[in-house]
Amino acid sequence: MKNTFRLTQIPVLITLVTLLASCKVSKDYQRPELALPTEYRNVPYGDTATIADMGWKEFFPDTTLQRLIERGITYNYDLQIALKRIDIAQQQVKQAKMLQLPRLDLRIAGTYNRPSSNSLNGISASSFLGAKHIENYITAVDLSWEADIWGKIRRQQQATMGQYLRTYEATKAVQTRLVADIAKGFFNLLMLDKQLEVAKHNLELSNNTLKLTTLLKDAGEVTSLSVQQSEAQREAIALLIPQLEQDIAIQENALQVLTGQVPNAIERKVKLADFKANDSLATGVPAALVSRRPDVRAAEMSVLVANAQLGVAQASMYPSLIISASGGIESFKSSNWFNIPGSLFGIAAGTIARPIFARRQLKTNLEVAKIEREQSVLEFRQSVLNAVGEVSNSLVQTQKLKEQEAIASNQVNILTQAISNAQLLYQSDMANYLEVITAQGNALQAELNLAFIRSQSLVARVDLYRSLGGGWK
């Protein structure tokens, strides 16, 4: 009758555990409230369309740049390290999925005990076993299972999944940054190519001016000072060439390292003028950044993880129910160890436990988890604010650099014509050598500046693309 009563209690116990397992002591994750504008600064209206939805191959149609980006995605070490972090997180998720299952352990042990002859164990061994020592041999399977009454294990699983998603989003953020860095480095390289071309062209002009000045000196029209000033002007321009060649080599090396290659020259036929930055760029609405930008998504996943860890800390404040069982074969003689059924044994137990005084460890863990969740919310909101700021800055840059490019282009045209006029006037003795040198120097600086502005305009487009969340597709 006693055994029958115990068996009838098993369904009741299972039902009780199931009902208790549905209890929750913590709240499910909800996205924190965000104060976002309806549109970006200087954007007259908001539209859901955005360049962030474009794949990087579509946004960067040049084949040379595409090859560089492809190599970077394949061989860049920072990105490879980030991918390994995803692999680690995947293994942790697999382990977390098993947390609801019981634990099984196999135990095989043999003990030998030689108690004191004057001790109670020694006297008992001599009286009952007729020996001065006690042996025990056991082979058992131990089972332990914690009922997830308060949702602690579920929260642990959520925290592990959140860490995986955070790692995944962080890896996408690494790729967007890598794509942007390669593109910006490539445009900087093309700018240096253009500046080198400008410097060489101006060196030819300076050589012609020097020859003309020398002829005029021989004819007694100008002094040796004019020749010296022309020579100094030519040397100043000549000095730019090795400086620019040095910068080109360094930029090529930097791009090769970004793409996981040893430093070397980069073959290219495209020029800076082949890239146009006049088309409009759709930005979407600020609210879309929360779902599109990988770094913002990673920050949100940190909030999810912190919320789940808070749930674990809260559930730890409540009693835990652990069901354990053990069964196998046991004998105090090795000769009878595997004598079945005589050596069979089994035991089962259910334990409800809660620390009464743990030196404030549980309370501290709970308060720290609350603070860490609040901290993660603040970091998430800061990441969103930074993202909106980056987009706004990039929009201002693209707009103002377009205006600067138009002004700088007009300036170059004027100064190029001024060089021709100055040379004609100089040959006619209607202008002095200083006016020619000044015109050439101003034209050189204007052309160098125009190349810089054009490259910065392209870089601003890249920054806008990245800040909107593009580059990982």
Side-chain angles (χ1 to χ4, degrees), residues 282-412:
T283 59
V285 293
L289 288 177
V290 181
S291 59
R292 283 195 175 100
R293 270 192 58 146
D295 57 334
V296 175
R297 287 282 297 154
E300 184 180 5
M301 290 303 102
S302 294
V303 181
L304 187 148
V305 171
N307 186 77
Q309 290 173 340
L310 174 59
V312 173
Q314 289 174 326
S316 298
M317 302 289 291
Y318 293 83
S320 59
L321 171 61
I322 299 176
I323 298 175
S324 58
S326 180
I329 52 177
E330 183 178 19
S331 176
F332 67 92
K333 290 184 179 180
S334 58
S335 58
N336 296 332
W337 191 1
F338 295 96
N339 184 8
I340 298 175
S343 297
L344 291 174
F345 81 95
I347 186 173
T351 305
I352 297 178
R354 183 193 184 281
I356 297 177
F357 179 70
R359 299 188 296 272
R360 205 181 182 276
Q361 180 181 356
L362 296 178
K363 180 66 174 178
T364 299
N365 291 343
L366 178 59
E367 295 302 322
V368 169
K370 289 180 180 178
I371 296 171
E372 288 179 342
R373 188 191 183 282
E374 294 172 357
Q375 177 184 343
S376 66
V377 170
L378 294 174
E379 291 173 346
F380 172 51
R381 288 173 175 163
Q382 182 65 58
S383 69
V384 174
L385 183 60
N386 290 340
V388 174
E390 288 178 6
V391 174
S392 299
N393 291 342
S394 297
L395 282 171
V396 171
Q397 289 177 331
T398 54
Q399 293 169 1
K400 297 305 176 182
L401 283 167
K402 189 181 297 184
E403 297 175 11
Q404 294 175 43
E405 183 177 349
I407 296 171
S409 180
N410 188 44
Q411 182 188 29
V412 167

Side-chain angles (χ1 to χ4, degrees), residues 256-297:
Q256 293 285 26
V257 171
L258 268 180
T259 58
Q261 310 299 312
V262 295
N264 205 343
I266 294 178
E267 183 179 352
R268 57 196 178 277
K269 296 180 180 179
V270 66
K271 294 184 178 181
L272 186 64
D274 297 331
F275 292 87
K276 303 299 180 182
N278 296 324
D279 53 325
S280 60
L281 301 173
T283 59
V285 293
L289 288 177
V290 181
S291 59
R292 283 195 175 100
R293 270 192 58 146
D295 57 334
V296 175
R297 287 282 297 154

Side-chain angles (χ1 to χ4, degrees), residues 24-285:
K24 290 181 182 179
V25 295
S26 61
K27 296 181 179 179
D28 291 333
Y29 170 75
Q30 290 183 343
R31 176 178 290 173
E33 294 183 1
L34 299 170
L36 288 172
T38 56
E39 57 195 29
Y40 296 108
R41 180 181 177 181
N42 296 331
V43 176
Y45 61 91
D47 190 2
T48 56
T50 170
I51 57 174
D53 292 333
M54 299 171 61
W56 60 263
K57 284 189 176 181
E58 183 182 357
F59 190 75
F60 301 112
D62 179 69
T63 55
T64 303
L65 180 54
Q66 284 183 355
R67 285 195 296 269
L68 287 173
I69 294 175
E70 285 176 347
R71 282 213 307 263
I73 292 175
T74 305
Y75 299 109
N76 178 266
Y77 287 107
D78 289 336
L79 186 55
Q80 290 186 56
I81 292 170
L83 290 172
K84 293 302 178 184
R85 293 194 189 103
I86 290 182
D87 293 339
I88 293 172
Q90 285 176 337
Q91 297 303 317
Q92 293 170 340
V93 168
K94 291 179 181 179
Q95 191 270 333
K97 290 179 179 179
M98 310 294 287
L99 290 178
Q100 297 276 10
L101 300 179
R103 173 171 175 168
L104 288 175
D105 295 301
L106 175 63
R107 180 162 50 94
I108 301 175
T111 60
Y112 176 88
N113 183 15
R114 173 58 170 87
S116 170
S117 299
N118 296 325
S119 66
L120 180 61
N121 290 335
I123 295 172
S124 299
S126 298
S127 300
F128 294 102
L129 300 178
K132 294 185 178 182
H133 65 274
I134 301 173
E135 299 178 18
N136 191 63
Y137 302 92
I138 184 171
T139 299
V141 175
D142 300 325
L143 179 146
S144 178
W145 178 68
E146 180 179 357
D148 191 21
I149 299 176
W150 313 112
K152 181 174 69 174
I153 297 177
R154 284 193 303 254
R155 295 305 185 197
Q156 289 175 338
Q157 292 175 324
Q158 289 175 4
T160 303
M161 179 58 71
Q163 290 168 348
Y164 165 76
L165 293 174
R166 181 176 60 189
T167 304
Y168 177 72
E169 295 296 338
T171 300
K172 292 199 299 187
V174 171
Q175 179 171 325
T176 60
R177 177 69 65 179
L178 173 64
V179 170
D181 287 345
I182 292 175
K184 290 193 289 187
F186 183 69
F187 291 140
N188 187 59
L189 181 61
L190 297 184
M191 177 202 70
L192 294 171
D193 287 342
K194 178 59 179 178
Q195 289 183 334
L196 181 61
E197 178 185 334
V198 169
K200 289 180 177 179
H201 174 68
N202 277 267
L203 183 61
E204 293 180 3
L205 293 177
S206 185
N207 284 331
N208 294 333
T209 301
L210 178 58
K211 291 177 181 178
L212 177 60
T213 304
T214 302
L215 291 174
L216 291 174
K217 175 186 174 295
D218 292 341
E221 297 292 334
V222 297
T223 64
S224 59
L225 178 60
S226 300
V227 177
Q228 291 170 350
Q229 290 288 350
S230 297
E231 288 178 342
Q233 169 79 358
R234 185 183 66 84
E235 294 304 319
I237 297 174
L239 181 61
L240 285 175
I241 294 176
Q243 291 175 343
L244 290 169
E245 289 174 342
Q246 169 188 299
D247 293 341
I248 288 172
I250 292 174
Q251 182 61 75
E252 286 178 327
N253 291 344
L255 278 172
Q256 293 285 26
V257 171
L258 268 180
T259 58
Q261 310 299 312
V262 295
N264 205 343
I266 294 178
E267 183 179 352
R268 57 196 178 277
K269 296 180 180 179
V270 66
K271 294 184 178 181
L272 186 64
D274 297 331
F275 292 87
K276 303 299 180 182
N278 296 324
D279 53 325
S280 60
L281 301 173
T283 59
V285 293

